[in-house]
Amino acid sequence: MKYVNANEVLPDRLITEIQQYIQGESIYIPRPESSRQKWGSCSGSRKWIDERNDSIRTSFRNGSTIQELAQEYFLSSETIKKIVYKRKPAADDQ
């Protein structure tokens, strides 16, 4: 996490207002919900897991058993069940 001196980025009147609540301490200001990125979106991990899960669902629909998929993908049977029985969210929900 990168720290920035408030004097460099905030107007004096806002600093004065903040000082009424806290002085000389570090404070974290979170991003707005609308600008947050979902886990794995930058690294590509989310895409890889989504593709893996799609492959697991396809194999299950084509007759593979839970146990076979667990062994093939090195996941627990419970994890495979969660993947194959969960309704996939619509594209605009993601």
Side-chain angles (χ1 to χ4, degrees):
M1 183 180 306
K2 182 175 143 186
Y3 291 94
V4 178
N5 186 324
N7 290 322
E8 296 174 8
V9 295
L10 300 176
D12 291 337
R13 63 178 173 30
L14 183 55
I15 293 172
T16 302
E17 182 70 24
I18 293 170
Q19 286 171 333
Q20 293 180 29
Y21 301 94
I22 188 169
Q23 307 95 31
E25 300 286 334
S26 296
I27 185 171
Y28 172 73
I29 301 173
R31 292 180 180 196
E33 285 289 329
S34 61
S35 69
R36 289 187 183 173
Q37 294 182 339
K38 292 190 175 193
W39 175 89
S41 61
C42 289
S43 67
S45 296
R46 178 81 265 152
K47 183 178 182 228
W48 181 85
I49 289 173
D50 288 343
E51 289 172 355
R52 180 204 64 186
N53 291 352
D54 287 343
S55 177
I56 289 171
R57 284 187 204 93
T58 300
S59 295
F60 182 72
R61 282 192 303 271
N62 290 335
S64 295
T65 66
I66 299 289
Q67 191 59 39
E68 289 170 342
L69 293 168
Q71 290 176 351
E72 181 180 345
Y73 289 94
F74 303 99
L75 297 170
S76 71
S77 295
E78 292 303 312
T79 299
I80 296 294
K81 287 178 188 177
K82 288 178 186 176
I83 293 168
V84 298
Y85 294 129
K86 180 180 179 187
R87 183 184 74 82
K88 188 174 180 186
D92 54 338
D93 290 347
Q94 293 180 356

